[in-house]
Amino acid sequence: MRSSCALLVLLVCCIWGFVSADVYFHNPRGSNNRLDEASRNRANGNRLFDSQNNDRGGYNVGSVYYYAGSKVQLEWTNQHSCKGDNNHCELIIQYMCHDLLRDGTSTNQIPENPTQCSEYDCNTDYRYGMHESYDYYMNCKLRKRNEALFTADQKLKSGATSTRQNAAATRRAYECAEERDHYPYWHPTPWRDVVVMTNEASRCPYYETESENVKPRWTCVMPFDVMQIEMHGQTGVIPNNKEDCEAFRWPANHPNGTYGVWTESPAHGTAPPACRETERTRDNHLGNGADGFPNTYTWTMPEHIHEHCALRIRYNISTGDYDGWNTDASSNTVVTRKRVFGQKKKFLTDDCQAVDLSSRFGFENCSEAADRGYVLTNNPVVELFAGTSVSLRLAVNTAQFGRTFQDRSHTFAIRRRPSALAGATIHNVNVRGKRGNIVQVYPAVEYDFVPNSLQLSKDDYVHFQWTGSNTNPDNNDGQGRAGSDRSNVVLQSEQVYDEGTQAFYTDVSKYGHWGRSYPKHLSDVQLLGLTTEDLTTLAILNTHQYGGEMSELDDAGTYFDLGPRKVTQAGVFHYMSTRNNNFSNRSQKGKLISREQLMASDAIGWNGGNFSLSGKSTGVYIERGVLNDLHRFSMEEWTIEQTRVKLAQQNQQLPEGDGFGSDVLVLYPKDKVTVGDSRFQMKIELESGHDVAVYRTSSDNYATWQKLEAEVHDGVVEFATDRGGVYVTRTSKNIGMIVGISVGCGAFVLLVVGSALYFKKHPETSTSLINSANRTKRALQGRV
């Protein structure tokens, strides 16, 4: 078991980073260990977990709920690069739920000693915030650390609370340091995987099969009273593998000692995590991604109904100076090099540090590399040019040459949706950010709606909900009561001057204009078809306060929940918050794009994936390896009439046919996305016709229609393609029936012609048949 555990480490130990590279959740609100401090800095960086982040980050406590199956856009910032050459990057998002999980009411760290807790039970002392439980931490502290891990020259303690990044085993609530610093972890954890985003998508099959979502874990179990009482004060004594566990007893060598039991912990029993490429971000930039928009992942909330949940993101970066993925404990040792007497640059042996830096930097052997200072140690001095005095000291910390950063949300609930919403698509619209200008809130962000631009279909549901705090620093800039977060939603006024081409709005109705800072009067507002009552509630929060001064929403609460509302109106709607939208200082605006037709979208890369229109099999189905990079796909249906109008604007026509098998399907991106000759599958659910032809054209000008090979199975036409575009299914007369009738008619004609020729040559046969037919006719008439 020890060797298999070491193999697992070989595959995962490289995914940690070197430089200071904070990560922060913005939606849901990441705590960064904050509770409700009115100070710029958090009060206690060890309160719940080890973030490795700046003390200034995080948002004060505020909880929300989501309906199971609804869509939530997760947003974060990470300080250093992903999907680049500067380092290897992994982003891992997980969640957990349990009855005792809580934010707490004190910024103090939950005690390790039960005597310091109410009723001698820290698990139930609600003054303290708690994610992982006391029992979980005790198992971690008493368990031996994995000695197969690469630790460089760091001096670790014996327990799993000590890692290269946390050699002193500093406690952060009940978090297990070894689990925090490594993924996938080899012992049981309460965390369930949501998604893994990696620079190396070829590792996705490994992450999917090794995830605790689907694969059980094993651990050496001792009775809890033995761990708490008899092992009190110990660390790193319980074995971490089967062989040693079954031979272990406490006290050691005691004839009546308690034996360890190697025990299986079942998998979480949920689907494997999604796995895909990371999106590009650059170094030294704690902000938006390469396209100017936030880093996001759309999470469909699981059917894990619970009132006490938390979400975490871990950002793991590793240096490219050595092969961390295949470096283990055998590389920890530095062998003493013996110089050749009288020769400064010569050595008796090539044995030196086991971490291979020589081949990476073009040295003949490791001795030459070491002589020039190219060794993995703290702050080495390297000689840039052989035989010169040009030397530079490098800022290297082996505890951070492979590093994990982390943020976690405040608590949230996952609730069962009402029966009236069964099967409906629900989109959550939240608010990120906190009060203050961009410098005062950094590394948090100013206010914005999440998603900032949301595409949805009529008959979908939108759930407006947000939370905030009354204890932001009082001197932070903003409108209304000092220190307070408030938001509202009002439709903006209409456009008043020419601006841009407005090509986006050629076939949709536009409501409001993003360039306006004044709201439209409520008596004339149309927004998704919402009622006047709902529009009033969104604007003045009248169901969430009991009178008072409301011009800047001061007397409303920090939390707002409209509940899911059905979208009954198509159009593009531009809205803002009157309190926080302060032109030239800060902007809080959003856009809702509602269409008559169904829409769907997803980001898919090398690992493949599927997505389809709600309630239909119409969709895109991509096998692993068909793509070599992450692509953002979107798909929508057009009616036949919509399509005719669009084509007429370009003086183009639909391909020939008698009818249509379905609405027109449009897929973006329109250009080729596959590797080489690879193709992916598309399916279109047919409304009519069994014999259809599928045609494709580009959405640029609809000039050329290409007929594709397609097959129909159970009312669905399937075909392969290597790109997006406009796809039309045309019906025609039933070719099979036509062929059958033609063949039958041909056979009948041949029969008639052949009979005539035969009877002409044999007239006696014809006379005999006629006489026989007459006798039969008379006989039948008599019987009738």
Side-chain angles (χ1 to χ4, degrees):
M1 182 64 194
R2 181 175 294 165
S3 60
S4 63
C5 191
L7 176 61
L8 177 63
V9 175
L10 285 176
L11 292 171
V12 300
C13 69
C14 77
I15 59 177
W16 323 127
F18 156 52
V19 289
S20 179
D22 304 358
V23 65
Y24 301 98
F25 255 141
H26 303 295
N27 194 59
R29 294 160 65 88
S31 74
N32 193 41
N33 275 313
R34 295 184 70 91
L35 181 62
D36 58 358
E37 297 92 313
S39 57
R40 294 256 169 86
N41 288 358
R42 62 190 176 189
N44 186 349
N46 297 335
R47 190 175 77 90
L48 285 169
F49 58 95
D50 181 11
S51 74
Q52 297 281 303
N53 292 336
N54 191 290
D55 285 341
R56 286 280 300 271
Y59 301 90
N60 283 355
V61 66
S63 297
V64 296
Y65 73 94
Y66 306 104
Y67 283 121
S70 67
K71 298 180 182 298
V72 181
Q73 182 168 292
L74 311 181
E75 288 193 6
W76 67 90
T77 50
N78 50 269
Q79 183 178 341
H80 284 282
S81 62
C82 281
K83 202 176 182 178
D85 297 330
N86 287 0
N87 60 57
H88 182 83
C89 162
E90 310 263 348
L91 288 158
I92 299 162
I93 298 178
Q94 300 167 296
Y95 80 100
M96 74 166 163
C97 306
H98 66 83
D99 292 341
L100 300 177
L101 188 150
R102 57 188 181 267
D103 295 313
T105 60
S106 169
T107 59
N108 292 330
Q109 181 181 209
I110 192 169
E112 181 181 355
N113 188 343
T115 63
Q116 298 174 338
C117 293
S118 176
E119 303 296 328
Y120 301 98
D121 187 351
C122 294
N123 280 338
T124 58
D125 192 334
Y126 283 84
R127 293 174 297 173
Y128 303 104
M130 188 182 80
H131 287 179
E132 294 92 345
S133 69
Y134 175 77
D135 311 49
Y136 175 80
Y137 176 75
M138 289 301 296
N139 274 288
C140 175
K141 180 181 178 181
L142 291 171
R143 185 171 58 241
K144 289 180 180 292
R145 67 176 179 86
N146 189 333
E147 295 181 356
L149 292 167
F150 174 60
T151 58
D153 56 359
Q154 296 295 310
K155 306 302 181 184
L156 274 59
K157 296 185 177 181
S158 58
T161 54
S162 180
T163 66
R164 177 158 58 109
Q165 188 171 313
N166 185 37
T170 303
R171 185 174 70 88
R172 276 89 174 189
Y174 296 149
E175 180 179 59
C176 180
E178 190 176 68
E179 182 275 333
R180 175 198 174 280
D181 289 358
H182 300 89
Y183 176 86
Y185 192 52
W186 37 90
H187 293 299
T189 83
W191 294 100
R192 299 176 181 231
D193 298 334
V194 175
V195 60
V196 178
M197 291 167 277
T198 172
N199 276 19
E200 300 289 342
S202 59
R203 293 175 185 162
C204 284
Y206 169 77
Y207 288 138
E208 291 171 345
T209 57
E210 292 296 323
S211 166
E212 196 175 354
N213 287 10
V214 297
K215 185 175 181 177
R217 297 294 193 262
W218 291 81
T219 192
C220 191
V221 173
M222 296 290 290
F224 188 73
D225 57 344
V226 173
M227 292 194 300
Q228 189 174 30
I229 299 172
E230 296 182 25
M231 293 182 173
H232 178 71
Q234 301 293 319
T235 183
V237 293
I238 299 177
N240 61 11
N241 63 84
K242 183 177 187 294
E243 180 183 352
D244 291 345
C245 177
E246 292 176 344
F248 176 77
R249 59 181 170 180
W250 189 267
N253 302 318
H254 194 286
N256 296 320
T258 303
Y259 280 88
V261 179
W262 189 244
T263 304
E264 182 183 49
S265 176
H268 293 312
T270 57
C275 186
R276 71 183 206 194
E277 293 86 346
T278 53
E279 298 192 58
R280 187 173 299 279
T281 56
R282 68 178 179 87
D283 289 301
N284 306 320
H285 178 70
L286 197 62
N288 290 336
D291 58 0
F293 293 96
N295 307 306
T296 65
Y297 177 77
T298 300
W299 184 26
T300 299
M301 297 304 296
E303 297 288 336
H304 187 171
I305 309 304
H306 209 289
E307 285 296 304
H308 307 282
C309 302
L311 190 71
R312 77 168 172 179
I313 183 170
R314 285 183 290 167
Y315 172 43
N316 312 311
I317 57 174
S318 60
T319 175
D321 290 309
Y322 65 95
D323 183 9
W325 192 255
N326 295 297
T327 301
D328 66 354
S330 65
S331 298
N332 290 337
T333 305
V334 178
V335 177
T336 302
R337 296 171 291 122
K338 298 180 180 179
R339 296 185 184 278
V340 176
F341 180 74
Q343 298 186 49
K344 183 178 179 181
K345 303 297 183 183
K346 299 295 183 180
F347 295 86
L348 291 174
T349 176
D350 285 343
D351 292 335
C352 45
Q353 189 174 44
V355 175
D356 178 22
L357 297 183
S358 59
S359 62
R360 294 254 169 164
F361 295 97
F363 294 107
E364 253 184 59
N365 51 53
C366 58
S367 295
E368 183 185 358
D371 186 63
R372 295 265 297 276
Y374 285 81
V375 292
L376 185 57
T377 187
N378 285 336
N379 304 323
V381 176
V382 298
E383 184 181 297
L384 294 183
F385 305 103
T388 71
S389 59
V390 180
S391 298
L392 296 175
R393 182 179 297 277
L394 304 181
V396 171
N397 182 347
T398 58
Q400 299 177 1
F401 228 61
R403 193 174 183 186
T404 304
F405 299 83
Q406 179 184 198
D407 199 8
R408 299 187 184 182
S409 72
H410 298 289
T411 59
F412 63 91
I414 305 174
R415 294 181 180 171
R416 196 180 312 278
R417 60 173 64 195
S419 57
L421 298 180
T425 300
I426 304 174
H427 304 270
N428 290 280
V429 175
N430 309 124
V431 170
R432 72 173 194 176
K434 64 181 180 181
R435 181 189 184 90
N437 63 41
I438 193 169
V439 175
Q440 292 168 335
V441 303
Y442 185 84
V445 295
E446 296 181 279
Y447 298 115
D448 199 2
F449 294 103
V450 181
N452 178 263
S453 294
L454 173 62
Q455 296 203 41
L456 62 167
S457 301
K458 274 183 62 177
D459 297 331
D460 286 355
Y461 284 75
V462 61
H463 186 180
F464 287 100
Q465 181 187 197
W466 54 79
T467 187
S469 174
N470 281 329
T471 56
N472 295 296
D474 282 344
N475 61 343
N476 276 15
D477 289 349
Q479 277 58 55
R481 174 183 164 188
S484 66
D485 294 319
R486 301 288 188 275
S487 291
N488 64 335
V489 168
V490 296
L491 190 73
Q492 293 171 264
S493 293
E494 302 297 344
Q495 181 177 346
V496 293
Y497 59 89
D498 291 337
E499 181 181 342
T501 65
Q502 301 294 299
F504 180 79
Y505 305 101
T506 54
D507 61 344
V508 293
S509 299
K510 179 185 175 184
Y511 300 89
H513 182 63
W514 253 358
R516 299 299 304 276
S517 295
Y518 283 80
K520 197 172 181 66
H521 196 279
L522 271 178
S523 63
D524 192 29
V525 166
Q526 297 183 68
L527 177 61
L528 301 177
L530 299 180
T531 65
T532 301
E533 180 182 359
D534 284 343
L535 294 172
T536 304
T537 299
L538 284 167
I540 61 175
L541 316 182
N542 65 334
T543 61
H544 295 263
Q545 51 86 26
Y546 300 96
E549 208 295 305
M550 290 296 292
S551 64
E552 292 187 303
L553 312 176
D554 284 348
D555 289 338
T558 58
Y559 174 74
F560 176 84
D561 176 30
L562 184 67
R565 294 295 189 267
K566 189 173 184 177
V567 177
T568 61
Q569 181 185 14
V572 181
F573 305 88
H574 302 86
Y575 64 97
M576 69 178 186
S577 167
T578 55
R579 194 202 211 219
N580 303 318
N581 190 67
N582 185 338
F583 184 73
S584 80
N585 289 295
R586 65 194 57 86
S587 170
Q588 188 180 357
K589 299 175 181 178
K591 179 163 62 177
L592 299 164
I593 305 165
S594 171
R595 299 189 183 276
E596 296 279 355
Q597 61 271 18
L598 293 174
M599 295 185 296
S601 61
D602 201 359
I604 302 176
W606 178 90
N607 199 39
N610 310 320
F611 70 105
S612 59
L613 297 177
S614 178
K616 289 189 171 186
S617 54
T618 297
V620 174
Y621 303 82
I622 304 177
E623 294 292 329
R624 182 177 288 159
V626 170
L627 309 177
N628 65 359
D629 203 354
L630 189 69
H631 295 273
R632 289 195 173 273
F633 291 92
S634 64
M635 174 174 54
E636 61 187 49
E637 282 187 329
W638 291 350
T639 65
I640 302 303
E641 187 55 37
Q642 284 178 309
T643 308
R644 291 189 195 279
V645 170
K646 290 177 181 292
L647 267 62
Q649 293 170 350
Q650 300 286 338
N651 295 317
Q652 303 294 342
Q653 293 182 339
L654 286 162
E656 293 184 356
D658 294 332
F660 297 91
S662 66
D663 283 337
V664 175
L665 187 66
V666 185
L667 178 67
Y668 303 99
K670 65 182 185 303
D671 298 321
K672 186 178 183 296
V673 294
T674 61
V675 177
D677 295 329
S678 299
R679 292 171 175 261
F680 57 87
Q681 293 296 119
M682 291 184 65
K683 298 180 182 180
I684 299 178
E685 194 170 301
L686 299 175
E687 298 171 359
S688 62
H690 296 286
D691 291 309
V692 297
V694 178
Y695 296 88
R696 180 208 169 271
T697 190
S698 171
S699 53
D700 284 338
N701 51 27
Y702 319 105
T704 303
W705 290 95
Q706 175 191 8
K707 185 176 181 180
L708 305 178
E709 294 184 5
E711 296 181 355
V712 176
H713 301 284
D714 299 323
V716 176
V717 61
E718 302 179 21
F719 53 95
T721 185
D722 59 4
R723 67 196 66 205
V726 180
Y727 292 88
V728 175
T729 58
R730 296 305 312 257
T731 59
S732 59
K733 295 177 181 178
N734 194 309
I735 302 300
M737 183 178 295
I738 293 172
V739 171
I741 293 173
S742 299
V743 171
C745 290
F748 180 75
V749 170
L750 289 174
L751 178 62
V752 171
V753 172
S755 297
L757 292 173
Y758 177 82
F759 289 135
K760 186 174 181 180
K761 293 182 178 180
H762 304 86
E764 68 282 1
T765 302
S766 174
T767 302
S768 175
L769 285 173
I770 292 172
N771 291 336
S772 176
N774 287 333
R775 288 194 298 270
T776 301
K777 178 180 177 182
R778 286 194 297 270
L780 289 173
Q781 286 175 337
R783 291 185 181 184
V784 173

